[in-house]
Amino acid sequence: GNKEQQKIIIELVDKMLSLNKELRDLPENSEKWLATKSEIEKTDKKIDQEVYKIYGLTGEEVKVVEG
């Protein structure tokens, strides 16, 4: 249900925060930096998907939201 999805989102947001913190401490464009950055982008997309699920957006509506 909704509680479960909120929990997932909270965990993903926590992950984002720690990844962003990690990113700041890494030398820019190093291998680890790029890997972390790509992980951030993936996590960001996952958060979006979970939010869409909560609001019950369809694939079509998501396209509209993401422009």
Side-chain angles (χ1 to χ4, degrees):
N2 234 342
K3 279 270 173 282
E4 195 49 43
Q5 275 169 322
Q6 283 173 343
K7 205 178 120 233
I8 294 170
I9 291 176
I10 290 167
E11 283 166 12
L12 286 168
V13 169
D14 281 347
K15 186 178 172 186
M16 276 293 267
L17 293 173
S18 61
L19 284 169
N20 275 301
K21 196 167 172 287
E22 228 176 276
L23 193 69
R24 280 200 301 269
D25 298 332
L26 293 167
E28 199 165 326
N29 293 321
S30 65
E31 213 167 301
K32 185 91 179 91
W33 187 88
L34 292 168
T36 305
K37 199 156 175 50
S38 124
E39 192 60 34
I40 288 172
E41 282 159 19
K42 267 191 287 197
T43 306
D44 199 34
K45 283 200 178 75
K46 272 189 204 151
I47 292 172
D48 287 347
Q49 282 164 356
E50 291 304 321
V51 170
Y52 296 150
K53 271 188 221 164
I54 286 181
Y55 292 105
L57 292 182
T58 63
E60 282 308 302
E61 289 167 321
V62 169
K63 281 195 199 113
V64 171
V65 173
E66 292 188 342

